[in-house]
């Protein structure tokens, strides 16, 4: 290991041996009788899915988790260490590098509070370099204050609570000019930002480390997963100090699911919504007089108000908890971006007229997982965009796009199914999820037309009529001239509409005649879309049934 690293590491940590267990010494235990770790051979009581693994210690650094994180963050596997949240990563850095009552760390107020706490717990000193009035960071000021004086510089980007980024050139300048300090970049909110990650600097500056978390973008705050990305030398050093088996078995299993290709699609889709909502909230709140909203690249907004404590109380009285940040920046509050409904309630608390939003948002999300398919379906009946379809079946994607475009609603479908076996499961499960999503989005169906019909469509002559009646019925009449469209079995079309009508709880009548199966199927999807478009339109305030409910 390099001399440089030895010089900035606490000597006792450098020379100690980390805890060694059978799990850390032997890579694979499969098929062996395990009498090495004083575990209990019997299965415990709570009957969870993981029950067959619960009586055994987990892998100290689970290989499957490490390799997924390395791929996602774009580093080598030996540059990754996983811990219980990023807060633990910070604590480990301080304990490894800082000699108590002698060394110091540096951070840049107003910023995240745990850097100070981690230092205080370990008896480590603090150097503060304040951000400028516009929350930018002056690299020269920081370098002058910290060079050869501090062991670790914590840089938070996007910064909590201000929401702005530290320019990557500023981070690089600091890493270059402070070679005897660890430059620890906190990228807790980076997935919400439109800016490059400092991970690209890791291989260039051995003193750089980047910290990540699954708490924010991956909605995994309750699972406690933080990651350190650094040179393998630093990873090994930190690995000596971390608790022997930090990540519990149930958490490991959950992390592997969250980081699967499908899990990432769910996360990315949610990130997209949060970013859109951040923009909407920014635009709306910028129009409110007497407050100032700062631009944010994270999943919260910092807002300057005339009196933060009374605004805080005002929100509390409406059942909304926000954060009063006045201790760091006078008369500011920080509000997380929530669901569309939660955000509307925030707007209303600021006196914004939200009628427009209340009537126009008919949305639903379905996430459906079976042994055969993983499906995400997101609809918004009151928006036309985005339409993003990916089922792994080209022809089916094309048909679903027709359904959304001509139905006049926004639709995102992402499906991962066993299409290598057959298209059947994917088509059926997409139909179920889509039908369910549309039904949920329609809610109590107040104000809608309820009925829709179209006749006929070009030479293929497709006809569709729909009643959003609350009862699933399909009447399907089409004799296709060929059994396949490319590789797509035409019989699945009826099957799709059967599952779709069942879950949407709609009576759907479809018929098509013609000489070309592709035209007929496309005609059916378009006709159904047009009929749906009519039926879901809101034209009054009433429930469209004499019974008063459907
Ligand atoms: N860094 C920042 C900037 C944060 O705001 C937070 C949590 N609020 C964390 C790190 C902690 O992350 P974790 O949940 O992974 O401990």
């Amino acid at each position: 290991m390099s001399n440089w690293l030895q010089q900035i590491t606490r000597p006792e940590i450098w020379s100690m041996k980390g805890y060694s267990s059978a799990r850390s010494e032997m890579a694979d235990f499969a098929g062996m009788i395990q009498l090495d770790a004083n575990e209990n051979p019997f299965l415990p009581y709570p009957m969870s899915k993981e029950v067959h693994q619960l009586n055994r210690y987990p892998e100290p650094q689970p290989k499957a988790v490490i390799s997924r994180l390395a791929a996602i963050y774009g580093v080598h596997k030996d540059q990754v260490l996983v811990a219980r949240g990023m807060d633990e990563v910070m604590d480990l850095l301080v304990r490894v590098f800082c000699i108590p009552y002698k060394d110091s760390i540096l951070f840049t107020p107003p910023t995240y509070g745990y850097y100070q706490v981690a230092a205080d717990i370990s008896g480590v000193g603090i150097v503060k370099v304040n951000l400028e009035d516009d929350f930018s960071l002056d690299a020269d000021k920081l370098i002058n204050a910290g060079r050869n004086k501090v062991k670790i510089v914590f840089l938070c980007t996007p910064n909590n609570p201000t929401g702005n980024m530290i320019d990557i050139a500023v981070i690089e300048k600091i890493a270059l000019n402070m070679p005897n300090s660890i430059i620890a970049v906190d990228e807790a909110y980076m997935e919400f930002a439109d800016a490059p990650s400092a991970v690209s600097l890791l291989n260039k500056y051995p003193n750089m480390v980047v910290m990540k978390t699954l708490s924010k973008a991956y909605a995994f705050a309750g699972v406690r997963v933080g990651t350190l990305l650094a040179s393998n030398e630093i990873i090994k050093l930190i690995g000596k100090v971390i608790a022997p088996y930090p990540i519990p078995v149930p958490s490991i299993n959950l992390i592997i699911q969250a980081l699967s290709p499908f899990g990432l699609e769910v996360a990315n889709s949610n990130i997209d919504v949060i970013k859109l909502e951040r923009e909407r909230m920014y635009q709306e709140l910028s129009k409110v007089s007497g407050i100032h909203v700062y631009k944010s690249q994270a999943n919260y907004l910092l807002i300057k108000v005339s009196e933060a404590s009374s605004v805080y109380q005002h929100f509390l009285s409406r059942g909304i908890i926000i954060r009063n940040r006045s201790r760091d920046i006078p008369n500011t509050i920080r509000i997380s971006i929530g669901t569309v409904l939660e955000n509307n309630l925030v707007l209303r608390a600021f006196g914004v007229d939200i009628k427009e939003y209340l009537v126009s948002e008919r949305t639903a999300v379905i996430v459906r997982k079976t042994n055969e398919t993983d499906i995400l379906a997101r609809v918004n009946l009151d928006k036309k965009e985005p339409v993003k379809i990916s089922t792994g079946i080209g022809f089916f994607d094309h048909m679903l796009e027709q359904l959304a475009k001509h139905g006049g609603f926004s639709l995102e479908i992402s499906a991962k199914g066993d299409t290598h076996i057959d298209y059947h499961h994917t088509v059926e499960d997409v139909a179920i999820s889509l039908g369910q999503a549309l039904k949920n989005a329609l809610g109590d169906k107040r104000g809608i037309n309820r009925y829709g019909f179209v006749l006929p469509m070009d030479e293929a002559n497709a006809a569709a009529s729909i009643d959003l009646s609350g009862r699933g019925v399909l009447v399907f009449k089409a004799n296709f001239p060929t059994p396949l469209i490319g590789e797509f079995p035409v019989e699945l079309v009826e099957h799709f509409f059967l599952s779709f009508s069942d879950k949407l709880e709609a009576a759907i009548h479809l018929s098509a005649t013609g000489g070309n199966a592709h035209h007929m199927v496309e005609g059916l999807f378009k006709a159904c879309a047009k009929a749906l478009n009519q039926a879901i339109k809101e034209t009054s305030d009433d429930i469209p049934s004499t019974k008063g409910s459907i």
Side-chain angles (χ1 to χ4, degrees), residues 56-296:
R56 302 289 174 193
Y57 286 107
E59 281 179 87
Q61 285 290 297
K63 284 186 283 302
V65 170
I66 295 288
S67 62
R68 285 303 294 153
L69 289 169
I72 290 163
Y73 296 138
V75 297
H76 192 271
K77 278 186 278 195
D78 70 11
Q79 293 179 293
V80 180
L81 177 119
V82 62
R84 290 158 297 196
M86 197 202 287
D87 288 339
E88 182 176 40
V89 173
M90 295 168 193
D91 198 50
L92 289 166
L93 287 171
V94 171
R95 282 157 63 202
V96 165
F97 291 109
C98 300
I99 301 172
Y101 309 113
K102 177 166 177 279
D103 289 336
S104 301
I105 64 157
L106 184 154
F107 58 84
T108 61
T111 192
Y112 182 50
Y114 197 76
Y115 313 134
Q116 163 121 36
V117 174
D120 289 348
I121 291 169
S122 289
V124 164
I126 281 156
V127 175
K128 295 182 188 177
V129 175
N130 288 337
L131 296 178
E132 304 303 300
D133 288 345
D134 63 357
F135 303 141
S136 64
L137 176 62
D138 182 335
D140 293 326
K141 201 163 94 180
L142 186 146
I143 293 162
N144 281 337
R147 186 170 20 203
N148 298 325
K149 291 187 207 120
V150 299
K151 282 287 185 66
I152 307 173
V153 176
F154 284 106
L155 299 176
C156 188
T157 182
N159 187 41
N160 179 3
T162 55
N164 63 313
M165 306 287 303
I166 302 175
D167 198 75
I168 192 148
V170 169
I171 297 176
E172 178 157 14
K173 185 169 182 188
I174 294 169
L176 178 69
N177 286 284
M178 296 180 69
N180 296 322
S181 307
I182 296 291
I183 310 304
V185 183
D186 177 339
E187 293 193 351
Y189 301 97
M190 193 50 139
E191 291 88 346
F192 301 108
D194 301 310
S197 159
V199 167
S200 60
L201 302 176
L202 277 183
N203 291 339
K204 206 162 158 197
Y205 301 97
N207 56 331
M208 279 260 327
V209 307
V210 176
M211 302 179 295
K212 298 278 194 180
T213 179
L214 299 190
S215 296
K216 315 292 176 181
Y218 295 86
F220 246 30
V223 186
R224 309 303 301 128
V225 197
T227 304
L228 175 71
L229 309 175
S231 71
N232 183 242
E233 285 183 303
I234 294 180
I235 295 293
K236 280 198 204 137
L237 204 52
I238 306 288
K240 292 206 279 187
V241 176
I242 196 168
Y245 311 98
I247 315 292
V249 168
S251 301
I252 294 173
N253 293 338
L254 290 170
I255 299 165
I256 291 169
Q257 290 179 57
L259 302 184
S260 67
F262 183 71
L264 297 188
E265 288 196 26
V266 173
N268 284 331
S269 168
N270 290 334
I271 291 168
D272 285 347
V273 174
I274 289 172
K275 285 166 77 174
L276 284 173
E277 278 297 285
R278 175 181 71 198
E279 183 58 24
R280 180 174 75 97
M281 294 295 281
Y282 176 80
Q283 294 299 342
E284 286 294 350
L285 292 174
S286 295
K287 291 183 224 153
V288 175
S289 65
I291 66 172
H292 176 76
V293 194
Y294 295 91
K295 261 271 171 216
S296 169

